[in-house]
Amino acid sequence: MFLQRYRYFIFFLIAANILFLLSNTVFILHIVRSPPDKVFSLMHGDWFHDFYSLVSFITEGQNGFWLKREQYTTEPISPTMLHTYYIAVGHIAKVFSLNSFTAYHIARIISVELFFLSLFTLSSLFFEKRIRILAALLSLLAGIPSYSFFKETVN
Protein backbone atom coordinates (compact mmCIF):
# COMPACT_ATOMS: atom_id res chain seq x y z
CA MET A 1 0.00 0.00 0.00
CA PHE A 2 2.75 2.46 0.95
CA LEU A 3 4.86 1.66 -2.12
CA GLN A 4 1.82 1.80 -4.37
CA ARG A 5 0.82 5.24 -3.10
CA TYR A 6 4.28 6.80 -3.31
CA ARG A 7 5.73 4.87 -6.26
CA TYR A 8 6.19 7.97 -8.45
CA PHE A 9 7.90 9.85 -5.65
CA ILE A 10 10.21 6.91 -4.85
CA PHE A 11 11.03 6.41 -8.53
CA PHE A 12 11.84 10.11 -8.92
CA LEU A 13 14.10 10.15 -5.85
CA ILE A 14 15.97 7.05 -7.05
CA ALA A 15 16.39 8.47 -10.58
CA ALA A 16 17.44 11.90 -9.28
CA ASN A 17 19.99 10.41 -6.89
CA ILE A 18 21.41 8.22 -9.66
CA LEU A 19 21.90 11.37 -11.75
CA PHE A 20 23.48 13.12 -8.76
CA LEU A 21 25.82 10.17 -8.26
CA LEU A 22 26.73 10.12 -11.96
CA SER A 23 27.50 13.83 -11.93
CA ASN A 24 29.86 13.25 -8.98
CA THR A 25 31.62 10.22 -10.44
CA VAL A 26 34.83 12.13 -11.21
CA PHE A 27 34.84 13.54 -7.69
CA ILE A 28 34.41 10.07 -6.17
CA LEU A 29 37.13 8.65 -8.43
CA HIS A 30 39.55 11.33 -7.25
CA ILE A 31 38.86 10.35 -3.65
CA VAL A 32 39.32 6.63 -4.36
CA ARG A 33 42.41 7.06 -6.55
CA SER A 34 44.28 9.47 -4.30
CA PRO A 35 47.74 8.11 -3.50
CA PRO A 36 48.21 7.23 0.18
CA ASP A 37 50.80 9.97 0.70
CA LYS A 38 48.62 12.69 -0.90
CA VAL A 39 45.48 14.42 0.32
CA PHE A 40 42.70 15.25 -2.13
CA SER A 41 41.26 18.67 -1.32
CA LEU A 42 37.66 17.47 -1.90
CA MET A 43 37.18 20.23 -4.45
CA HIS A 44 34.59 19.41 -7.08
CA GLY A 45 34.09 21.11 -10.42
CA ASP A 46 36.23 23.71 -12.12
CA TRP A 47 35.36 26.76 -10.03
CA PHE A 48 37.93 26.38 -7.26
CA HIS A 49 37.55 30.07 -6.36
CA ASP A 50 33.94 29.49 -5.33
CA PHE A 51 34.76 26.28 -3.50
CA TYR A 52 37.49 27.77 -1.34
CA SER A 53 35.47 30.94 -0.72
CA LEU A 54 32.51 28.93 0.54
CA VAL A 55 34.75 26.76 2.69
CA SER A 56 36.26 29.93 4.17
CA PHE A 57 32.75 31.16 5.04
CA ILE A 58 32.12 27.86 6.83
CA THR A 59 35.40 28.35 8.69
CA GLU A 60 34.28 31.83 9.74
CA GLY A 61 31.11 30.28 11.15
CA GLN A 62 33.18 27.69 13.00
CA ASN A 63 35.18 30.53 14.51
CA GLY A 64 31.99 32.00 15.96
CA PHE A 65 31.20 34.80 13.51
CA TRP A 66 27.62 35.36 12.28
CA LEU A 67 28.53 38.03 9.72
CA LYS A 68 30.99 37.75 6.84
CA ARG A 69 34.18 39.66 7.48
CA GLU A 70 36.35 40.95 4.65
CA GLN A 71 39.86 39.88 5.63
CA TYR A 72 41.75 40.68 2.46
CA THR A 73 41.60 44.45 2.20
CA THR A 74 43.33 47.41 3.76
CA GLU A 75 40.09 49.41 3.79
CA PRO A 76 38.02 49.41 6.98
CA ILE A 77 34.89 47.44 6.05
CA SER A 78 32.15 46.44 8.47
CA PRO A 79 30.96 42.80 8.48
CA THR A 80 28.03 42.02 6.16
CA MET A 81 25.19 39.50 5.92
CA LEU A 82 26.41 37.60 2.88
CA HIS A 83 26.48 33.82 2.52
CA THR A 84 24.67 33.36 5.82
CA TYR A 85 23.78 29.78 4.85
CA TYR A 86 27.44 28.76 4.81
CA ILE A 87 28.18 30.66 7.99
CA ALA A 88 25.29 28.77 9.65
CA VAL A 89 26.73 25.51 8.28
CA GLY A 90 29.99 26.49 10.00
CA HIS A 91 28.20 26.89 13.32
CA ILE A 92 26.57 23.47 12.90
CA ALA A 93 29.93 21.97 11.92
CA LYS A 94 31.44 23.37 15.09
CA VAL A 95 28.78 21.62 17.19
CA PHE A 96 29.44 18.28 15.46
CA SER A 97 33.25 18.78 15.30
CA LEU A 98 33.39 18.52 11.49
CA ASN A 99 36.09 20.10 9.40
CA SER A 100 35.07 22.73 6.86
CA PHE A 101 35.45 20.49 3.81
CA THR A 102 33.30 17.71 5.23
CA ALA A 103 30.67 20.20 6.40
CA TYR A 104 30.58 21.74 2.92
CA HIS A 105 29.88 18.44 1.24
CA ILE A 106 27.30 17.33 3.79
CA ALA A 107 25.51 20.67 3.32
CA ARG A 108 25.76 20.23 -0.46
CA ILE A 109 24.19 16.77 -0.30
CA ILE A 110 21.41 17.94 2.03
CA SER A 111 20.73 20.93 -0.23
CA VAL A 112 20.49 18.71 -3.30
CA GLU A 113 18.04 16.37 -1.55
CA LEU A 114 15.91 19.35 -0.50
CA PHE A 115 16.02 20.56 -4.10
CA PHE A 116 14.78 17.14 -5.29
CA LEU A 117 11.93 17.23 -2.77
CA SER A 118 10.88 20.73 -3.74
CA LEU A 119 11.10 19.93 -7.45
CA PHE A 120 8.80 16.94 -7.08
CA THR A 121 6.44 18.91 -4.84
CA LEU A 122 6.17 21.73 -7.37
CA SER A 123 5.59 19.32 -10.23
CA SER A 124 2.88 17.67 -8.10
CA LEU A 125 1.17 21.00 -7.61
CA PHE A 126 1.22 22.04 -11.26
CA PHE A 127 0.82 18.78 -13.17
CA GLU A 128 -1.62 15.90 -13.11
CA LYS A 129 -0.58 12.53 -11.73
CA ARG A 130 0.25 10.91 -15.08
CA ILE A 131 2.82 13.47 -16.22
CA ARG A 132 4.10 14.61 -12.80
CA ILE A 133 7.11 12.28 -12.86
CA LEU A 134 7.99 13.24 -16.43
CA ALA A 135 7.77 16.94 -15.61
CA ALA A 136 9.99 16.53 -12.55
CA LEU A 137 12.60 14.49 -14.45
CA LEU A 138 12.64 16.90 -17.39
CA SER A 139 13.04 19.82 -15.00
CA LEU A 140 15.93 18.03 -13.37
CA LEU A 141 17.64 17.20 -16.65
CA ALA A 142 17.17 20.69 -18.05
CA GLY A 143 19.71 22.12 -15.61
CA ILE A 144 22.50 19.58 -16.02
CA PRO A 145 25.03 20.35 -18.73
CA SER A 146 25.89 17.21 -20.67
CA TYR A 147 29.64 17.74 -20.38
CA SER A 148 29.46 17.19 -16.61
CA PHE A 149 28.89 13.49 -17.25
CA PHE A 150 31.84 13.06 -19.60
CA LYS A 151 34.54 15.32 -18.28
CA GLU A 152 37.59 13.46 -17.00
CA THR A 153 39.46 16.00 -14.89
CA VAL A 154 38.53 18.15 -11.94
CA ASN A 155 41.06 20.92 -12.48
Side-chain angles (χ1 to χ4, degrees):
M1 183 73 168
F2 176 79
L3 290 177
Q4 182 68 17
R5 181 176 175 145
Y6 295 106
R7 70 180 182 267
Y8 294 120
F9 176 68
I10 293 169
F11 175 76
F12 172 74
L13 277 184
I14 290 171
N17 280 300
I18 287 172
L19 288 174
F20 180 62
L21 187 65
L22 283 174
S23 68
N24 284 292
T25 303
V26 174
F27 174 69
I28 294 167
L29 287 175
H30 277 291
I31 293 172
V32 172
R33 293 180 180 170
S34 291
D37 58 336
K38 305 289 183 194
V39 176
F40 177 54
S41 68
L42 300 178
M43 185 192 79
H44 65 97
D46 289 334
W47 299 101
F48 61 90
H49 302 292
D50 289 343
F51 174 74
Y52 288 114
S53 294
L54 299 176
V55 168
S56 73
F57 301 148
I58 292 172
T59 304
E60 285 190 28
Q62 285 177 320
N63 292 332
F65 297 103
W66 281 103
L67 298 174
K68 181 189 173 301
R69 298 175 307 126
E70 187 59 55
Q71 302 176 46
Y72 306 107
T73 182
T74 57
E75 301 288 323
I77 298 175
S78 60
T80 58
M81 280 189 83
L82 293 174
H83 301 288
T84 53
Y85 173 72
Y86 292 101
I87 292 174
V89 167
H91 283 278
I92 294 169
K94 182 178 180 181
V95 170
F96 290 105
S97 300
L98 298 172
N99 66 32
S100 300
F101 298 101
T102 305
Y104 171 81
H105 286 289
I106 290 173
R108 186 172 72 96
I109 291 168
I110 291 171
S111 297
V112 165
E113 295 301 324
L114 289 174
F115 171 71
F116 292 159
L117 292 173
S118 63
L119 183 63
F120 189 81
T121 303
L122 283 173
S123 66
S124 298
L125 290 173
F126 292 114
F127 299 103
E128 64 183 38
K129 192 175 244 184
R130 294 184 330 161
I131 62 168
R132 167 183 312 167
I133 187 75
L134 181 63
L137 285 174
L138 286 176
S139 298
L140 184 64
L141 290 173
I144 300 174
S146 60
Y147 69 84
S148 65
F149 290 119
F150 304 108
K151 201 165 184 184
E152 294 185 12
T153 61
V154 172
N155 49 10

mmCIF file of all heavy atoms in Angstrom, residues 110-142:
data_model
loop_
_atom_site.group_PDB
_atom_site.id
_atom_site.type_symbol
_atom_site.label_atom_id
_atom_site.label_comp_id
_atom_site.label_asym_id
_atom_site.label_seq_id
_atom_site.Cartn_x
_atom_site.Cartn_y
_atom_site.Cartn_z
ATOM 1 N N ILE A 110 22.718 17.617 1.439
ATOM 2 C CA ILE A 110 21.408 17.936 2.032
ATOM 3 C C ILE A 110 20.661 18.943 1.159
ATOM 4 O O ILE A 110 19.453 18.809 0.933
ATOM 5 C CB ILE A 110 21.580 18.450 3.471
ATOM 6 C CG1 ILE A 110 22.045 17.292 4.379
ATOM 7 C CG2 ILE A 110 20.295 19.070 4.010
ATOM 8 C CD1 ILE A 110 22.449 17.720 5.767
ATOM 9 N N SER A 111 21.366 19.934 0.633
ATOM 10 C CA SER A 111 20.730 20.931 -0.229
ATOM 11 C C SER A 111 20.198 20.305 -1.516
ATOM 12 O O SER A 111 19.114 20.657 -1.978
ATOM 13 C CB SER A 111 21.722 22.046 -0.582
ATOM 14 O OG SER A 111 22.118 22.724 0.573
ATOM 15 N N VAL A 112 20.946 19.377 -2.082
ATOM 16 C CA VAL A 112 20.487 18.706 -3.300
ATOM 17 C C VAL A 112 19.245 17.874 -3.017
ATOM 18 O O VAL A 112 18.285 17.882 -3.796
ATOM 19 C CB VAL A 112 21.625 17.840 -3.904
ATOM 20 C CG1 VAL A 112 21.097 16.864 -4.930
ATOM 21 C CG2 VAL A 112 22.673 18.726 -4.527
ATOM 22 N N GLU A 113 19.224 17.176 -1.891
ATOM 23 C CA GLU A 113 18.044 16.374 -1.548
ATOM 24 C C GLU A 113 16.816 17.264 -1.313
ATOM 25 O O GLU A 113 15.710 16.917 -1.729
ATOM 26 C CB GLU A 113 18.321 15.500 -0.322
ATOM 27 C CG GLU A 113 19.380 14.448 -0.544
ATOM 28 C CD GLU A 113 19.060 13.469 -1.652
ATOM 29 O OE1 GLU A 113 17.879 13.109 -1.835
ATOM 30 O OE2 GLU A 113 20.005 13.042 -2.350
ATOM 31 N N LEU A 114 17.023 18.410 -0.674
ATOM 32 C CA LEU A 114 15.911 19.350 -0.498
ATOM 33 C C LEU A 114 15.443 19.904 -1.838
ATOM 34 O O LEU A 114 14.244 20.122 -2.045
ATOM 35 C CB LEU A 114 16.318 20.481 0.439
ATOM 36 C CG LEU A 114 16.484 20.090 1.909
ATOM 37 C CD1 LEU A 114 17.042 21.264 2.713
ATOM 38 C CD2 LEU A 114 15.169 19.612 2.488
ATOM 39 N N PHE A 115 16.379 20.121 -2.750
ATOM 40 C CA PHE A 115 16.017 20.556 -4.096
ATOM 41 C C PHE A 115 15.173 19.494 -4.796
ATOM 42 O O PHE A 115 14.174 19.811 -5.434
ATOM 43 C CB PHE A 115 17.271 20.867 -4.914
ATOM 44 C CG PHE A 115 16.991 21.121 -6.357
ATOM 45 C CD1 PHE A 115 16.348 22.276 -6.771
ATOM 46 C CD2 PHE A 115 17.356 20.192 -7.322
ATOM 47 C CE1 PHE A 115 16.077 22.511 -8.110
ATOM 48 C CE2 PHE A 115 17.094 20.410 -8.660
ATOM 49 C CZ PHE A 115 16.451 21.579 -9.050
ATOM 50 N N PHE A 116 15.558 18.228 -4.688
ATOM 51 C CA PHE A 116 14.777 17.141 -5.291
ATOM 52 C C PHE A 116 13.366 17.103 -4.717
ATOM 53 O O PHE A 116 12.391 16.952 -5.460
ATOM 54 C CB PHE A 116 15.451 15.782 -5.064
ATOM 55 C CG PHE A 116 16.754 15.591 -5.795
ATOM 56 C CD1 PHE A 116 17.652 14.640 -5.371
ATOM 57 C CD2 PHE A 116 17.081 16.357 -6.913
ATOM 58 C CE1 PHE A 116 18.849 14.438 -6.034
ATOM 59 C CE2 PHE A 116 18.278 16.168 -7.588
ATOM 60 C CZ PHE A 116 19.161 15.204 -7.136
ATOM 61 N N LEU A 117 13.255 17.237 -3.408
ATOM 62 C CA LEU A 117 11.930 17.226 -2.775
ATOM 63 C C LEU A 117 11.072 18.396 -3.245
ATOM 64 O O LEU A 117 9.889 18.229 -3.552
ATOM 65 C CB LEU A 117 12.066 17.245 -1.250
ATOM 66 C CG LEU A 117 12.644 15.996 -0.614
ATOM 67 C CD1 LEU A 117 12.886 16.228 0.871
ATOM 68 C CD2 LEU A 117 11.732 14.808 -0.820
ATOM 69 N N SER A 118 11.667 19.572 -3.306
ATOM 70 C CA SER A 118 10.885 20.734 -3.740
ATOM 71 C C SER A 118 10.524 20.648 -5.220
ATOM 72 O O SER A 118 9.432 21.065 -5.618
ATOM 73 C CB SER A 118 11.638 22.031 -3.439
ATOM 74 O OG SER A 118 12.837 22.078 -4.156
ATOM 75 N N LEU A 119 11.399 20.094 -6.028
ATOM 76 C CA LEU A 119 11.101 19.934 -7.449
ATOM 77 C C LEU A 119 9.924 18.989 -7.664
ATOM 78 O O LEU A 119 9.011 19.280 -8.436
ATOM 79 C CB LEU A 119 12.337 19.413 -8.186
ATOM 80 C CG LEU A 119 12.229 19.266 -9.688
ATOM 81 C CD1 LEU A 119 12.007 20.623 -10.333
ATOM 82 C CD2 LEU A 119 13.482 18.623 -10.222
ATOM 83 N N PHE A 120 9.917 17.870 -6.947
ATOM 84 C CA PHE A 120 8.804 16.937 -7.082
ATOM 85 C C PHE A 120 7.519 17.541 -6.519
ATOM 86 O O PHE A 120 6.441 17.369 -7.084
ATOM 87 C CB PHE A 120 9.112 15.609 -6.393
ATOM 88 C CG PHE A 120 8.090 14.557 -6.693
ATOM 89 C CD1 PHE A 120 8.147 13.843 -7.872
ATOM 90 C CD2 PHE A 120 7.052 14.296 -5.813
ATOM 91 C CE1 PHE A 120 7.193 12.886 -8.167
ATOM 92 C CE2 PHE A 120 6.101 13.352 -6.091
ATOM 93 C CZ PHE A 120 6.172 12.640 -7.280
ATOM 94 N N THR A 121 7.623 18.269 -5.425
ATOM 95 C CA THR A 121 6.442 18.908 -4.841
ATOM 96 C C THR A 121 5.847 19.925 -5.804
ATOM 97 O O THR A 121 4.620 19.975 -5.982
ATOM 98 C CB THR A 121 6.805 19.584 -3.500
ATOM 99 O OG1 THR A 121 7.352 18.599 -2.632
ATOM 100 C CG2 THR A 121 5.598 20.208 -2.856
ATOM 101 N N LEU A 122 6.687 20.748 -6.413
ATOM 102 C CA LEU A 122 6.174 21.728 -7.368
ATOM 103 C C LEU A 122 5.563 21.070 -8.592
ATOM 104 O O LEU A 122 4.519 21.509 -9.081
ATOM 105 C CB LEU A 122 7.297 22.676 -7.797
ATOM 106 C CG LEU A 122 7.665 23.740 -6.786
ATOM 107 C CD1 LEU A 122 8.897 24.506 -7.245
ATOM 108 C CD2 LEU A 122 6.507 24.683 -6.558
ATOM 109 N N SER A 123 6.188 20.006 -9.080
ATOM 110 C CA SER A 123 5.589 19.321 -10.229
ATOM 111 C C SER A 123 4.282 18.643 -9.827
ATOM 112 O O SER A 123 3.376 18.517 -10.650
ATOM 113 C CB SER A 123 6.566 18.317 -10.832
ATOM 114 O OG SER A 123 6.827 17.272 -9.947
ATOM 115 N N SER A 124 4.148 18.242 -8.571
ATOM 116 C CA SER A 124 2.885 17.666 -8.100
ATOM 117 C C SER A 124 1.784 18.709 -8.021
ATOM 118 O O SER A 124 0.610 18.406 -8.228
ATOM 119 C CB SER A 124 3.076 17.040 -6.720
ATOM 120 O OG SER A 124 4.000 15.995 -6.775
ATOM 121 N N LEU A 125 2.164 19.933 -7.712
ATOM 122 C CA LEU A 125 1.169 21.002 -7.608
ATOM 123 C C LEU A 125 0.679 21.470 -8.975
ATOM 124 O O LEU A 125 -0.480 21.843 -9.121
ATOM 125 C CB LEU A 125 1.755 22.189 -6.848
ATOM 126 C CG LEU A 125 2.005 21.988 -5.362
ATOM 127 C CD1 LEU A 125 2.739 23.194 -4.795
ATOM 128 C CD2 LEU A 125 0.703 21.757 -4.628
ATOM 129 N N PHE A 126 1.559 21.459 -9.967
ATOM 130 C CA PHE A 126 1.223 22.044 -11.257
ATOM 131 C C PHE A 126 0.813 21.050 -12.338
ATOM 132 O O PHE A 126 0.274 21.457 -13.351
ATOM 133 C CB PHE A 126 2.387 22.891 -11.769
ATOM 134 C CG PHE A 126 2.620 24.120 -10.943
ATOM 135 C CD1 PHE A 126 3.781 24.268 -10.214
ATOM 136 C CD2 PHE A 126 1.666 25.121 -10.883
ATOM 137 C CE1 PHE A 126 3.994 25.401 -9.446
ATOM 138 C CE2 PHE A 126 1.868 26.249 -10.122
ATOM 139 C CZ PHE A 126 3.036 26.391 -9.404
ATOM 140 N N PHE A 127 1.109 19.761 -12.130
ATOM 141 C CA PHE A 127 0.824 18.781 -13.174
ATOM 142 C C PHE A 127 -0.030 17.642 -12.632
ATOM 143 O O PHE A 127 0.026 17.336 -11.443
ATOM 144 C CB PHE A 127 2.125 18.220 -13.762
ATOM 145 C CG PHE A 127 2.985 19.261 -14.402
ATOM 146 C CD1 PHE A 127 4.101 19.751 -13.749
ATOM 147 C CD2 PHE A 127 2.669 19.763 -15.646
ATOM 148 C CE1 PHE A 127 4.901 20.718 -14.327
ATOM 149 C CE2 PHE A 127 3.453 20.730 -16.244
ATOM 150 C CZ PHE A 127 4.569 21.213 -15.577
ATOM 151 N N GLU A 128 -0.782 17.024 -13.522
ATOM 152 C CA GLU A 128 -1.616 15.898 -13.110
ATOM 153 C C GLU A 128 -0.739 14.676 -12.836
ATOM 154 O O GLU A 128 0.435 14.631 -13.196
ATOM 155 C CB GLU A 128 -2.661 15.596 -14.172
ATOM 156 C CG GLU A 128 -2.071 15.155 -15.489
ATOM 157 C CD GLU A 128 -3.124 14.943 -16.548
ATOM 158 O OE1 GLU A 128 -4.097 15.728 -16.592
ATOM 159 O OE2 GLU A 128 -2.975 13.987 -17.307
ATOM 160 N N LYS A 129 -1.327 13.684 -12.210
ATOM 161 C CA LYS A 129 -0.582 12.533 -11.726
ATOM 162 C C LYS A 129 0.183 11.792 -12.823
ATOM 163 O O LYS A 129 1.298 11.330 -12.607
ATOM 164 C CB LYS A 129 -1.544 11.581 -11.026
ATOM 165 C CG LYS A 129 -0.864 10.503 -10.248
ATOM 166 C CD LYS A 129 -1.875 9.674 -9.490
ATOM 167 C CE LYS A 129 -1.604 9.869 -8.026
ATOM 168 N NZ LYS A 129 -2.441 9.059 -7.184
ATOM 169 N N ARG A 130 -0.387 11.707 -14.018
ATOM 170 C CA ARG A 130 0.247 10.910 -15.076
ATOM 171 C C ARG A 130 1.527 11.538 -15.605
ATOM 172 O O ARG A 130 2.450 10.821 -15.992
ATOM 173 C CB ARG A 130 -0.730 10.681 -16.218
ATOM 174 C CG ARG A 130 -1.895 9.817 -15.813
ATOM 175 C CD ARG A 130 -2.818 9.492 -16.944
ATOM 176 N NE ARG A 130 -2.868 10.536 -17.953
ATOM 177 C CZ ARG A 130 -3.297 10.348 -19.178
ATOM 178 N NH1 ARG A 130 -3.707 9.163 -19.547
ATOM 179 N NH2 ARG A 130 -3.333 11.335 -20.039
ATOM 180 N N ILE A 131 1.618 12.848 -15.659
ATOM 181 C CA ILE A 131 2.824 13.472 -16.220
ATOM 182 C C ILE A 131 3.694 14.138 -15.151
ATOM 183 O O ILE A 131 4.709 14.753 -15.478
ATOM 184 C CB ILE A 131 2.463 14.489 -17.315
ATOM 185 C CG1 ILE A 131 1.627 15.624 -16.755
ATOM 186 C CG2 ILE A 131 1.792 13.816 -18.472
ATOM 187 C CD1 ILE A 131 1.499 16.773 -17.717
ATOM 188 N N ARG A 132 3.346 13.993 -13.909
ATOM 189 C CA ARG A 132 4.097 14.607 -12.803
ATOM 190 C C ARG A 132 5.549 14.132 -12.785
ATOM 191 O O ARG A 132 6.469 14.933 -12.670
ATOM 192 C CB ARG A 132 3.384 14.254 -11.509
ATOM 193 C CG ARG A 132 4.087 14.506 -10.267
ATOM 194 C CD ARG A 132 3.279 14.047 -9.077
ATOM 195 N NE ARG A 132 1.911 14.534 -9.164
ATOM 196 C CZ ARG A 132 0.917 14.093 -8.409
ATOM 197 N NH1 ARG A 132 1.123 13.154 -7.525
ATOM 198 N NH2 ARG A 132 -0.285 14.587 -8.521
ATOM 199 N N ILE A 133 5.758 12.821 -12.914
ATOM 200 C CA ILE A 133 7.114 12.277 -12.857
ATOM 201 C C ILE A 133 7.927 12.729 -14.065
ATOM 202 O O ILE A 133 9.105 13.074 -13.941
ATOM 203 C CB ILE A 133 7.088 10.737 -12.723
ATOM 204 C CG1 ILE A 133 8.488 10.187 -12.494
ATOM 205 C CG2 ILE A 133 6.488 10.073 -13.938
ATOM 206 C CD1 ILE A 133 8.988 10.420 -11.126
ATOM 207 N N LEU A 134 7.299 12.781 -15.228
ATOM 208 C CA LEU A 134 7.989 13.239 -16.434
ATOM 209 C C LEU A 134 8.383 14.713 -16.308
ATOM 210 O O LEU A 134 9.499 15.098 -16.660
ATOM 211 C CB LEU A 134 7.100 13.017 -17.659
ATOM 212 C CG LEU A 134 7.686 13.434 -18.995
ATOM 213 C CD1 LEU A 134 8.914 12.608 -19.314
ATOM 214 C CD2 LEU A 134 6.641 13.310 -20.080
ATOM 215 N N ALA A 135 7.479 15.516 -15.793
ATOM 216 C CA ALA A 135 7.774 16.941 -15.612
ATOM 217 C C ALA A 135 8.921 17.142 -14.631
ATOM 218 O O ALA A 135 9.812 17.975 -14.867
ATOM 219 C CB ALA A 135 6.526 17.670 -15.130
ATOM 220 N N ALA A 136 8.921 16.394 -13.546
ATOM 221 C CA ALA A 136 9.986 16.530 -12.555
ATOM 222 C C ALA A 136 11.328 16.082 -13.126
ATOM 223 O O ALA A 136 12.353 16.752 -12.931
ATOM 224 C CB ALA A 136 9.640 15.723 -11.308
ATOM 225 N N LEU A 137 11.344 14.965 -13.869
ATOM 226 C CA LEU A 137 12.598 14.489 -14.451
ATOM 227 C C LEU A 137 13.104 15.423 -15.543
ATOM 228 O O LEU A 137 14.314 15.688 -15.627
ATOM 229 C CB LEU A 137 12.426 13.071 -14.999
ATOM 230 C CG LEU A 137 12.373 11.973 -13.949
ATOM 231 C CD1 LEU A 137 12.044 10.641 -14.591
ATOM 232 C CD2 LEU A 137 13.676 11.900 -13.180
ATOM 233 N N LEU A 138 12.210 15.950 -16.363
ATOM 234 C CA LEU A 138 12.644 16.896 -17.388
ATOM 235 C C LEU A 138 13.167 18.184 -16.764
ATOM 236 O O LEU A 138 14.133 18.775 -17.255
ATOM 237 C CB LEU A 138 11.507 17.187 -18.361
ATOM 238 C CG LEU A 138 11.185 16.075 -19.356
ATOM 239 C CD1 LEU A 138 9.980 16.459 -20.202
ATOM 240 C CD2 LEU A 138 12.376 15.773 -20.236
ATOM 241 N N SER A 139 12.548 18.628 -15.698
ATOM 242 C CA SER A 139 13.044 19.818 -14.999
ATOM 243 C C SER A 139 14.422 19.570 -14.416
ATOM 244 O O SER A 139 15.281 20.448 -14.424
ATOM 245 C CB SER A 139 12.086 20.206 -13.879
ATOM 246 O OG SER A 139 10.840 20.540 -14.400
ATOM 247 N N LEU A 140 14.629 18.374 -13.929
ATOM 248 C CA LEU A 140 15.929 18.031 -13.367
ATOM 249 C C LEU A 140 16.996 17.950 -14.455
ATOM 250 O O LEU A 140 18.100 18.458 -14.293
ATOM 251 C CB LEU A 140 15.822 16.684 -12.638
ATOM 252 C CG LEU A 140 17.058 16.195 -11.909
ATOM 253 C CD1 LEU A 140 17.401 17.153 -10.779
ATOM 254 C CD2 LEU A 140 16.817 14.814 -11.362
ATOM 255 N N LEU A 141 16.668 17.346 -15.575
ATOM 256 C CA LEU A 141 17.639 17.196 -16.655
ATOM 257 C C LEU A 141 17.907 18.497 -17.388
ATOM 258 O O LEU A 141 18.955 18.647 -18.018
ATOM 259 C CB LEU A 141 17.155 16.138 -17.643
ATOM 260 C CG LEU A 141 17.176 14.713 -17.115
ATOM 261 C CD1 LEU A 141 16.522 13.788 -18.108
ATOM 262 C CD2 LEU A 141 18.595 14.277 -16.821
ATOM 263 N N ALA A 142 16.989 19.432 -17.332
ATOM 264 C CA ALA A 142 17.174 20.689 -18.052
ATOM 265 C C ALA A 142 18.313 21.520 -17.484
ATOM 266 O O ALA A 142 18.902 22.330 -18.181
ATOM 267 C CB ALA A 142 15.879 21.504 -18.014
#
